[in-house]
Amino acid sequence: MKVIWTPEAEQDRIDIWDYIAADNLQAAASMDELFSDAVAKLAEYPMLGKQGKISATRELVPHENYRLVYEVNQEIVWILALVHVARMWPPVIN
């Protein structure tokens, strides 16, 4: 399957990189590699994650602190968000 990161999910990944890299560049690289490995698994096994909190989504936890939110649509896995588990998910919209 093809995997596509949405712009929002790409920004989440960049934000996580920047936050971790500010203290430890090697840790940021290791975390990013975990994200890449998880997404590569989804390309092969798109139903690997559990049912998501938002209808029609699934969630995979590549690290105990991060949740990868995605949806499967035909032959594409759409990465929707990469969220720290301490953050409210799904976000509350006023």
Side-chain angles (χ1 to χ4, degrees):
M1 287 197 126
K2 184 175 183 177
V3 176
I4 300 175
W5 287 74
T6 63
E8 297 82 5
E10 286 180 348
Q11 188 60 55
D12 292 341
R13 189 174 182 175
I14 290 167
D15 291 346
I16 292 165
W17 172 276
D18 289 345
Y19 180 79
I20 297 172
D23 290 330
N24 186 330
L25 189 59
Q26 181 59 40
S30 295
M31 186 66 67
D32 198 65
E33 187 173 338
L34 284 176
F35 299 153
S36 292
D37 291 347
V39 169
K41 288 178 187 172
L42 289 177
E44 200 165 335
Y45 306 103
M47 304 309 277
L48 183 62
K50 65 178 184 157
Q51 184 174 356
K53 293 181 179 182
I54 297 175
S55 178
T57 67
R58 301 191 70 77
E59 298 179 7
L60 183 65
V61 179
H63 180 274
E64 64 187 11
N65 293 328
Y66 293 97
R67 173 183 306 143
L68 188 66
V69 181
Y70 67 99
E71 70 180 6
V72 179
N73 188 341
Q74 297 176 12
E75 293 299 313
I76 300 175
V77 175
W78 291 93
I79 307 300
L80 305 175
L82 186 55
V83 184
H84 192 283
V85 296
R87 294 183 66 193
M88 181 178 290
W89 183 259
V92 176
I93 301 173
N94 295 331

